[in-house]
Structure formats: structure tokens, C-alpha cells
Amino acid sequence: MKIGKRRYTQLIAAVLYNCNIKGFMTGNIYQGAVKGVCVPGLNCYSCPGAVASCPLGSLQSGLLSSKYKFPYYVLGTLILFGLILGRFICGFLCPFGLLQELIYKLPLPKIRKNRFTRILSYMKYVILVVFVILIPLIKLVPGFCKYICPAGTIEAGIPLVSANQELQSLVGFLFSWKIFVLAAVLLICSLCYRSFCRFVCPLGAAYSFFAPVSVVGIRVDTEKCINCSKCVDNCLMDVHKVGDRECIHCGSCAGHCPVDAISFGTKRHLHD
């Protein structure tokens, strides 16, 4: 797929997630009926423009509010998104993924994928377990949203504090910490392609479990494939093969395939 077409999809998703323009002007969080619905990508519930919820935030809220009852609605939503789209969501429907890609275009030295980045890609699973599940259950705070999520800082924290004087007087260490995390993430993303997605994002980690079974994604025609590995070698993500847990189904690999064996489809046949 041409990069321009994917950009349009990413932009449309970002606008649809955050189409409450009035909220940006007033600094108020939208509380309409659809706020209980989860969008597929990482998008902060507290963003003044957000008209729906983030699945990660909803999962943590569910664990907090009902410690002894699992939030089945959110789990079902994540499973549905995962089964149908998987990490296609990361490549096409995540606003913070778009921001990372745009920042990577800055003319700075780049860190290419290597053995170390592939090892780091497992860190997001630790963050999923510790900050999204264990900390909400044990400490009763939304661990990922409170301590890490840079999307929440740029989409909600900064706009809300900027628009509300009463919040400005309450700013303390935690907000300063989140600003530091955001700055660090943006800096690293300017040097290393989608590093937040690759190393940190627990939502991408959750969707990666559905890589073998998700309906929509990249398809490899195994009869055409000559196993030249140009698809993997030219991919900026830490993939071992097309369509694996690190693949965000962006389609860039198709442009490097010398035999046109790669395309989008609803039933993917992954080559070894």
C-alpha cells in the first residue's frame, strides 16, 4: 500500500476519535453516550476532543472499579478487535502511531533494528502485565495511564492543564514526570522508528497475540514467495517474518517484494 493512502486512514482515525472540537476550546471532557465505547487504537479518554474510550484505560478502570469481577465487556472488545484486525490497528488506526512516524522524519541520525531492539520488543509484554493488570489490581491505580502513557499526556494532560487555571495550580511532580516521559519518548521515536510501539505499548502487545488468527492483514502467496527475505530486511519493525507479532501490516514490504507475493487479504498465509 502506498504510504500516502495509509496516512489518510491514520488521519481520519485520529479525527474521528477526537471530533469533539468544542472540548478543545473549553477544556472540558466529553461525557456523551458513546464515551462508553472503545476505539481500537491508543487514544486517551480524558482528551478534550475524545468522543470514545481507550481500551487500555477502560481495562484498567474496569479492574479498579470491580476488583473481584473481571471487566468482560472490555476484554470482549479487545478480543473482537484482535480477531478481526490484530496489529493492523497499530499500522492504520492509532493516532500515536501516526505521530511517531511523523517525528521519525526529522533529519536526525537513525538507530536501525538490530539484535538489541528485538530483545527490547519483549519489554511491552512486561509493561502489559505489570502496569495494565497487576498495579491496578494491587495498588488500585491505573498504572500505565498514571505513570507512563505519553499519548495521555499529549492528548489530555497538556490541553487540560493549558485550558484550566485551577488545574495549573495543582500541577506537581507526577505531571512533571509525565512530561519527562513524553519528551523522552518523542526523542527516542525521532531516532528509532516507532520505538514506543515496538518496546513499550501494551495495547500493541495485546493485539500481537492475535497475529496468527486475525482476519485482516498482510498476505503472502507462498507459491510465489522465493524466500529472498527482502520483506524482512527492509521492514523497520522487529519482524522475523511477514505477519508475525511485530508486524503492523503497514504494507511497506510489498514494495520490496521482487515477485509481488505480498498483498492485503482476509486470509493470510505466512511463510517461514
Side-chain angles (χ1 to χ4, degrees):
M1 173 174 286
K2 293 182 179 180
I3 193 69
K5 292 182 179 180
R6 189 166 69 89
R7 285 282 183 269
Y8 291 139
T9 305
Q10 291 173 302
L11 284 170
I12 291 171
V15 171
L16 289 177
Y17 293 177
N18 302 287
C19 59
N20 179 39
I21 307 301
K22 182 180 179 181
F24 287 111
M25 296 185 292
T26 62
N28 295 320
I29 300 173
Y30 176 74
Q31 298 289 347
V34 295
K35 203 60 182 279
V37 177
C38 293
V39 297
L42 189 69
N43 195 78
C44 187
Y45 172 98
S46 297
C47 174
V51 295
S53 297
C54 172
L56 279 183
S58 297
L59 179 59
Q60 291 171 91
S61 296
L63 293 173
L64 286 171
S65 62
S66 187
K67 186 175 180 180
Y68 301 104
K69 294 181 181 179
F70 199 84
Y72 292 106
Y73 162 71
V74 182
L75 178 63
T77 300
L78 281 169
I79 292 175
L80 180 63
F81 287 149
L83 288 174
I84 297 176
L85 299 171
R87 293 205 71 181
F88 176 91
I89 294 167
C90 304
F92 284 81
L93 302 175
C94 183
F96 200 70
L98 170 61
L99 177 61
Q100 292 177 79
E101 291 181 13
L102 295 177
I103 289 175
Y104 186 73
K105 290 182 176 293
L106 293 174
L108 297 171
K110 304 303 178 185
I111 301 172
R112 304 298 179 183
K113 66 180 181 182
N114 53 61
R115 183 179 179 182
F116 181 65
T117 63
R118 288 193 170 100
I119 294 173
L120 275 181
S121 70
Y122 289 96
M123 185 171 68
K124 59 181 172 286
Y125 298 99
V126 176
I127 292 174
L128 172 63
V129 173
V130 174
F131 285 88
V132 177
I133 298 174
L134 292 183
I135 289 180
L137 286 175
I138 297 172
K139 297 192 68 175
L140 299 180
V141 294
F144 180 74
C145 294
K146 184 174 183 178
Y147 301 121
I148 298 178
C149 187
T153 305
I154 198 169
E155 293 176 354
I158 294 174
L160 289 175
V161 170
S162 300
N164 293 278
Q165 290 186 351
E166 59 270 24
L167 291 179
Q168 294 171 15
S169 62
L170 299 175
V171 168
F173 173 78
L174 184 59
F175 184 75
S176 299
W177 164 254
K178 291 294 294 290
I179 292 294
F180 170 77
V181 171
L182 173 63
V185 167
L186 295 181
L187 174 61
I188 296 172
C189 287
S190 70
L191 306 175
C192 185
Y193 183 76
R194 290 189 74 142
S195 49
F196 175 78
C197 295
R198 291 158 66 185
F199 314 136
V200 180
C201 184
L203 186 58
Y207 288 143
S208 73
F209 293 126
F210 298 92
V213 296
S214 58
V215 175
V216 176
I218 288 292
R219 179 181 63 196
V220 175
D221 188 331
T222 54
E223 294 183 358
K224 288 184 178 181
C225 179
I226 59 174
N227 296 308
C228 66
S229 296
K230 288 185 177 180
C231 50
V232 173
D233 293 341
N234 287 283
C235 180
L236 296 176
M237 301 294 287
D238 295 290
V239 300
H240 291 282
K241 60 183 179 181
V242 174
D244 69 6
R245 65 179 179 85
E246 292 300 318
C247 178
I248 59 172
H249 305 281
C250 65
S252 62
C253 55
H256 298 285
C257 182
V259 292
D260 294 325
I262 302 174
S263 61
F264 279 95
T266 54
K267 291 183 179 181
R268 293 179 289 110
H269 305 283
L270 308 182
H271 68 290
D272 297 325

